[in-house]
Amino acid sequence: MVSVTLRVRRQVAGEGRWQVYKVEAASEKATVLDLLLKVKEEQDPTLALRYSCRMAICGSCGMVINGRPMLACQTKLSDLGSTDISVEPMWNYPVVKDLVTDMGEFFDKHRRVKPYMLRREEEIFEGGDEFRQRPEDVERYLDFAYCIFCGLCYSACPRVAENPEFLGPQALGQAARWIFDSRDRGAQERMRIVDGEDGLWSCHYIGSCSEVCPRGVEPAFAIQLLKMRAMRP
Amino acid sequence: MDLYKYDVVIVGSGIAGLRAALQAAWTGRGRLSIAILTKVHAMRSHSVSAEGGMSAVLYPDKTGDSLDLHAYDTVKGSDFLADQDAVELLVRLAPEEVRLLDRLGVPWTREPDGRIAQRPFGGMTIPRTTFAADKTGFFIMSTLYNNVLRFDKVHIYHEHFVTKVVIENGEFRGVVALDLKTGELRAFRAKAGILAAGGSGRMYRLTTMAHSSTGEIYGFALREGLPLKDMEFVQFHPTALVPSGILISEAARGEGGYLVNREGERFMQRYAPQRMELAPRDIISRAIVTEIMEGRGLTDPESGMGHVLLDLRHLGERKLNERIPFIRELAIKYVGVDPLKEPIPVRPAVHYIMGGIHTDTYGRVLDVGGNWVRGLWAAGEVASVSVHGANRLGSNSLSECAVWGRLTGEEAAKYSMGLAEPTIDESFRESVKAEEKRIYDGLLHSEGGTVSVYEVRRRMQDIMEDHVGIFRHGSQLGEAAAMLKRLREEARSMRLDDRGKAYNQNLRDLLEVDGMLDAVMAVVAGAYARTESRGAHYRTDYSKRDDANWLKHTLAYMRGGSLELAYVPVRITKWQPEERKY
Ligand SMILES: Cc1cc2nc3c(=O)[nH]c(=O)nc-3n(C[C@H](O)[C@H](O)[C@H](O)COP(=O)(O)OP(=O)(O)OC[C@H]3O[C@@H](n4cnc5c(N)ncnc54)[C@H](O)[C@@H]3O)c2cc1C
Ligand code: SF4
Ligand code: FES
């Protein structure tokens, strides 16, 4: 058994405060999500947080743990090297309650880059055959396609904090995901959306997005590739 | 309460729900209004966890595969309880679905010539499982979600928890949902509805499924008088991580992994000498539990759980990283074991619910008399069509979700195009008001609940795990039924600690547990009555399959507050039941 002190940022209707819980973890392998759920079930059912898959693939449980945006379900006590843990909601989002943030705008920005196959719709829906791709074609966009919409990159980005109109690393990364897919025909249309002051050029290549991304999407790199494409004569 | 009107409302945004939405939108050429209601953010649905792949016969000329062979494997895997016309539909449409998903953008793993690669899977005689590394479900989900965004008239209601399906005079009217963010109830009146609410692994203590796979919709369906089919057939996946239950996909064995006991023996040679580690899941899960019970397993020091080992060392680094990187990542991350260097501790855990809402071959929801509940369909894991019968083959579920998502989406769209604008009449208002009263006055503002929601949930899970597991016995099942009945009564006074409106998860949890308590009764009743062993349902007191008496589907339904059982025949087209050997 390991005794842990959890400091959790609680917030309802704009009023914020820290609340401290003491929890016993079965071992160092316990994740921050395990601990928060234990608090919820055994001590304080009013605590609100998002979670679902508990295997780092659904993107629900992004939060700021000991000062760094992370997924609670893949952050173990042993990773933190401490039994004093502070947890707060992701930065750069309005808070709904406790650790639950409002991601409406984040999802809207994603939608704005037309994150779907741009090609004649009859061909997509009625086409019959597959659009072939060689393994090396898949490699060109695959890393970007791993995005789980967790929103951590957007939370870590200082430029989003300064310019709320900025599309942000996730949306731009997803623009790249489709632009570099050999099956897609919408590169130009999408470039017109992202090639602007609140798009690519808001990015100062600080790189915190890539640092916190739990799936190795490297949005900062995606943005660089798109900038190069935008400057191509 | 806010009232909304739609042509089609879809409950659930997993692969089945999103595929249905996409097809309905396309069938209506973007003109139909479609609402997707989902209790999580749409992209967080459990389907993202699917790892191994999706079955389909893609290149019969090159591989020697055929639709009949896929169908036969599925029927045999189901222990002959699947409806064979439905299975034939599944295998016929699955290839079209894989190709459509390609055109929508799924990054399928490819062969050097650009074809889609396929891997072996349990119970499949030919490699026919298509995959996108070992994150197949995730990639299908994100592709469908993204493509749904192209239609302006598809509205996604994230974090809207459906509390009631409104059915009047044998016809679907709409649903009532709780908007978690604001705590407001909203009524959706619609011409057509599709239930795609997924499975319910969380009925049990140890499961590979997400926290959100609770299955209250099964309970809500029972309350509307709808029958659930074959709920006693619960699939245990042989290889879940100890102690979390996180899945190690069958792809690990498809790519060549071994199962070994404490003596280092590949014990499957004693249970399924021909198919070995690629026998169907029911057989392997029983084998593992037998090994553990007979003292040839190992014990996890932390949790005390018995387990065996999955050995992937001989696959080599390249295969691990290219074909099953997520498995390696999960093992390292959650148990601190690198499969390249050490075998992984695994044991069976609840993985899939073969049963579900009773539908016909095309996903139309039926009442006990076999009449269509007009305007209502069900698709995906929540439905029982039935293509999986008593045991699902791995990778057949993603195909099922896609195929019946498409079929029900198309049917619902066509049906609603033929109908006039729905009216909100007095009786709909009444239903909605009664629901509002139940939730606000009955739960949110009522004082005096005593027992904790989480305590009730834990006890339910313990009963299911300990009495309704891989090996079952009549006396244990009878005991489970009695205990669950008492728990049901006690749970009428579950305590709500959170009385706020914004994001009241405590209320959500209560509503989940409340629905699940009805659903588990259908599992136990079906299992108790079925005095035979078939597929995933194994009775130690009746260890043989009994086709003379039990080649039929169970229907469980509520009549006057108590659960009744009825039976309907299995539809057989080409394949007569035979002994199931692997
Ligand atoms: C770990 C794991 C791996 C798997 N791998 C494979 C595989 O490789 N191949 C394969 O074929 N199968 C696999 N399966 C099975 C397969 O993933 C599932 O059967 C399938 O994803 C179910 O999809 P679905 O669309 O029916 O429901 P789900 O994806 O479970 O979605 C359910 C939806 O319903 C919503 N919902 C539920 N209740 C409510 C409510 N009350 N109100 C509002 N919304 C509600 C949820 O929000 C969610 O959107 C796997 C299963 C597990 C557990
Ligand atoms: S790019 Fe990475 S950090 Fe950003 S939303 Fe996607 S997965 Fe999360
Ligand atoms: S719970 Fe799904 S990513 Fe953490």
Side-chain angles (χ1 to χ4, degrees):
Chain A
M1 284 292 194
V2 189
S3 303
V4 180
T5 308
L6 265 180
R7 281 170 14 100
V8 181
R9 187 75 187 162
R10 307 282 319 261
Q11 177 167 335
V12 190
E15 300 268 329
R17 66 191 162 90
W18 289 95
Q19 187 161 349
V20 178
Y21 302 98
K22 302 264 179 209
V23 221
E24 297 294 315
S27 80
E28 292 266 304
K29 280 191 220 152
T31 64
V32 173
L33 179 63
D34 293 335
L35 300 175
L36 289 168
L37 290 181
K38 204 158 184 248
V39 167
K40 211 170 126 57
E41 288 168 19
E42 294 170 9
Q43 300 181 35
D44 189 351
T46 68
L47 180 66
L49 66 143
R50 286 196 182 100
Y51 58 94
S52 178
C53 71
R54 56 79 168 95
M55 54 195 274
I57 190 72
C58 77
S60 298
C61 65
M63 49 189 79
V64 177
I65 301 169
N66 285 356
R68 192 184 146 90
M70 296 199 267
L71 294 180
C73 73
Q74 70 164 359
T75 304
K76 297 190 296 280
L77 281 176
S78 56
D79 302 328
L80 293 170
S82 160
T83 51
D84 274 315
I85 301 174
S86 79
V87 186
E88 50 191 310
M90 283 195 290
W91 303 315
N92 292 345
Y93 300 89
V95 173
V96 176
K97 183 187 171 190
D98 301 340
L99 302 170
V100 175
T101 56
D102 189 337
M103 300 186 78
E105 188 158 303
F106 172 78
F107 290 140
D108 284 347
K109 286 179 174 171
H110 168 73
R111 185 176 193 164
R112 260 188 257 160
V113 305
K114 306 201 175 203
Y116 35 81
M117 189 69 77
L118 285 174
R119 225 169 136 139
R120 229 170 30 86
E121 286 193 334
E122 265 72 23
E123 206 182 351
I124 298 172
F125 287 99
E126 309 286 340
D129 210 356
E130 64 221 52
F131 300 154
R132 292 201 170 192
Q133 254 185 342
R134 286 163 306 161
E136 54 273 31
D137 300 326
V138 181
E139 286 307 315
R140 291 191 63 218
Y141 69 92
L142 186 62
D143 282 350
F144 307 140
Y146 274 107
C147 172
I148 58 173
F149 303 69
C150 64
L152 288 174
C153 54
Y154 191 87
S155 171
C157 177
R159 295 292 297 144
V160 171
E162 285 162 15
N163 173 15
E165 295 306 310
F166 177 30
L167 279 171
Q170 190 271 348
L172 293 172
Q174 292 317 289
R177 179 255 172 268
W178 290 96
I179 286 171
F180 295 119
D181 188 328
S182 62
R183 297 168 291 188
D184 180 83
R185 302 284 176 268
Q188 278 190 343
E189 190 177 340
R190 251 181 239 107
M191 283 306 289
R192 276 196 297 275
I193 300 170
V194 301
D195 184 5
E197 238 171 273
D198 295 329
L200 297 175
W201 309 105
S202 253
C203 168
H204 292 177
Y205 203 39
I206 297 160
S208 38
C209 51
S210 293
E211 242 169 75
V212 300
C213 175
R215 295 260 64 109
V217 174
E218 300 262 10
F221 175 60
I223 295 171
Q224 285 310 103
L225 290 177
L226 291 182
K227 282 182 179 169
M228 269 148 54
R229 193 181 172 105
M231 290 189 298
R232 231 169 39 193
Chain B
M1 183 185 317
D2 296 336
L3 288 169
Y4 298 79
K5 277 194 210 171
Y6 277 94
D7 289 309
V8 181
V9 13
I10 298 169
V11 179
S13 62
I15 291 176
L18 292 176
R19 180 68 187 91
L22 201 61
Q23 193 64 28
W26 174 248
T27 302
R29 292 298 186 275
R31 283 189 297 274
L32 294 176
S33 61
I34 298 166
I36 302 175
L37 307 186
T38 173
K39 68 179 178 179
V40 293
H41 285 145
M43 257 306 289
R44 322 273 185 231
S45 301
H46 166 65
S47 287
V48 292
S49 303
E51 299 171 14
M54 168 168 173
S55 62
V57 178
L58 288 185
Y59 312 107
D61 300 342
K62 292 215 159 61
T63 57
D65 203 356
S66 71
L67 297 184
D68 265 4
L69 204 51
H70 186 187
Y72 171 72
D73 287 346
T74 302
V75 169
K76 183 176 171 191
S78 82
D79 221 347
F80 296 89
L81 193 69
D83 286 314
Q84 297 182 5
D85 56 345
V87 173
E88 291 186 69
L89 194 58
L90 171 80
V91 302
R92 184 157 58 79
L93 295 183
E96 290 181 22
E97 287 302 306
V98 170
R99 295 196 161 101
L100 174 76
L101 288 168
D102 178 64
R103 299 193 301 274
L104 290 168
V106 169
W108 294 118
T109 297
R110 306 277 176 168
E111 298 293 351
D113 68 356
R115 276 187 300 141
I116 297 170
Q118 296 186 290
R119 65 162 53 119
F121 239 65
M124 304 276 189
T125 45
I126 285 188
R128 62 167 78 92
T129 298
T130 61
F131 56 101
D134 53 0
K135 288 206 176 75
T136 313
F138 164 75
F139 282 122
I140 297 177
M141 272 295 292
S142 54
T143 301
L144 288 173
Y145 172 74
N146 278 328
N147 278 281
V148 161
L149 300 179
R150 72 168 71 237
F151 293 106
D152 289 334
K153 291 189 77 178
V154 179
H155 299 161
I156 302 180
Y157 289 86
H158 298 288
E159 305 193 307
H160 276 61
F161 182 101
V162 170
T163 65
K164 184 182 173 69
V165 181
V166 184
I167 295 171
E168 290 165 2
N169 305 321
E171 190 172 8
F172 172 77
R173 293 289 148 131
V175 299
V176 180
L178 177 70
D179 174 4
L180 291 174
K181 187 166 128 187
T182 61
E184 298 299 332
L185 279 172
R186 305 210 154 121
F188 294 79
R189 173 77 174 91
K191 299 181 198 170
I194 301 173
L195 303 177
S200 60
R202 297 278 158 181
M203 286 173 171
Y204 286 77
R205 202 166 56 213
L206 190 70
T207 177
T208 61
M209 286 195 226
H211 283 286
S212 55
S213 297
T214 43
E216 62 280 358
I217 292 282
Y218 292 126
F220 301 167
L222 285 173
R223 286 175 200 172
E224 298 305 317
L226 300 177
L228 302 181
K229 182 159 72 196
D230 294 338
M231 289 298 284
E232 61 269 36
F233 297 100
V234 174
Q235 176 163 80
F236 286 76
H237 194 292
T239 60
L241 281 184
V242 172
S244 65
I246 289 174
L247 180 75
I248 296 298
S249 166
E250 192 164 302
R253 284 169 288 130
E255 297 293 346
Y258 301 149
L259 283 169
V260 296
N261 59 21
R262 67 180 305 155
E263 283 136 31
E265 178 205 12
R266 280 179 75 188
F267 56 85
M268 281 314 296
Q269 67 199 15
R270 283 185 276 112
Y271 300 88
Q274 280 168 27
R275 298 290 292 162
M276 297 289 286
E277 280 88 356
L278 287 176
R281 292 174 177 173
D282 54 335
I283 294 173
I284 301 186
S285 289
R286 283 195 290 274
I288 293 176
V289 173
T290 306
E291 291 300 296
I292 295 169
M293 284 189 319
E294 293 179 356
R296 289 185 297 277
L298 299 91
T299 307
D300 173 52
E302 202 176 286
S303 61
M305 278 184 198
H307 64 86
V308 295
L309 296 169
L310 177 65
D311 196 346
L312 306 179
R313 287 174 298 185
H314 56 288
L315 300 184
E317 186 152 19
R318 190 142 161 233
K319 202 162 199 181
L320 282 181
N321 290 346
E322 274 173 18
R323 294 294 183 110
I324 43 176
F326 194 37
I327 289 175
R328 186 169 184 201
E329 175 191 323
L330 290 170
I332 294 176
K333 199 178 281 171
Y334 292 101
V335 286
V337 165
D338 182 350
L340 189 61
K341 305 195 182 101
E342 278 175 86
I344 315 171
V346 292
R347 65 160 293 129
V350 169
H351 182 64
Y352 187 85
I353 308 297
M354 264 77 72
I357 294 172
H358 179 38
T359 75
D360 71 4
T361 310
Y362 298 94
R364 281 179 226 136
V365 172
L366 303 178
D367 68 15
V368 186
N371 308 301
W372 181 37
V373 177
R374 269 170 300 130
L376 188 60
W377 286 260
E381 190 165 341
V382 83
S384 177
V385 170
S386 138
V387 292
H388 309 302
N391 175 63
R392 173 179 75 98
L393 292 189
S395 76
N396 265 352
S397 169
L398 297 186
S399 325
E400 182 199 13
C401 288
V403 167
W404 271 272
R406 161 189 166 174
L407 288 170
T408 58
E410 187 165 344
E411 288 298 307
K414 285 185 181 154
Y415 175 83
S416 64
M417 286 192 279
L419 294 180
E421 181 84 351
T423 53
I424 295 182
D425 55 13
E426 222 16 67
S427 70
F428 185 74
R429 274 181 210 284
E430 285 301 314
S431 303
V432 167
K433 249 197 231 135
E435 184 62 1
E436 195 167 30
K437 213 164 156 238
R438 179 177 82 96
I439 298 208
Y440 285 155
D441 303 346
L443 298 171
L444 199 57
H445 302 132
S446 91
E447 298 294 325
T450 46
V451 44
S452 142
V453 174
Y454 308 101
E455 159 83 18
V456 172
R457 188 172 69 191
R458 196 183 50 72
R459 277 161 58 192
M460 171 187 69
Q461 290 170 340
D462 284 346
I463 297 170
M464 294 302 285
E465 190 84 30
D466 299 337
H467 291 71
V468 199
I470 293 181
F471 289 106
R472 301 164 173 183
H473 189 280
S475 61
Q476 277 183 322
L477 293 169
E479 225 174 277
M483 291 195 299
L484 287 169
K485 219 170 181 171
R486 280 199 301 276
L487 191 59
R488 166 80 276 181
E489 281 318 307
E490 239 183 283
R492 302 223 183 267
S493 61
M494 277 190 286
R495 184 178 75 236
L496 204 60
D497 295 275
D498 191 345
R499 305 215 168 244
K501 273 198 137 179
Y503 221 89
N504 188 335
Q505 253 176 351
N506 191 209
L507 175 60
R508 179 207 66 183
D509 296 341
L510 185 150
L511 291 166
E512 282 179 353
V513 172
D514 182 54
M516 289 162 90
L517 282 168
D518 286 333
V520 288
M521 288 306 287
V523 180
V524 178
Y528 182 70
R530 189 175 282 273
T531 47
E532 67 155 353
S533 290
R534 182 185 297 273
H537 171 68
Y538 192 91
R539 288 276 300 254
T540 48
D541 45 349
Y542 295 92
S543 61
K544 290 265 170 325
R545 193 175 83 196
D546 175 3
D547 288 334
N549 293 302
W550 288 106
L551 186 58
K552 58 189 180 186
H553 299 292
T554 309
L555 295 183
Y557 61 102
M558 291 260 228
R559 178 88 11 119
S562 70
L563 201 69
E564 313 256 333
L565 298 180
Y567 293 90
V568 288
V570 174
R571 290 190 300 273
I572 292 175
T573 56
K574 288 190 188 156
W575 299 279
Q576 288 305 317
E578 57 187 53
E579 197 195 344
R580 185 163 165 260
K581 271 216 285 248
Y582 287 96

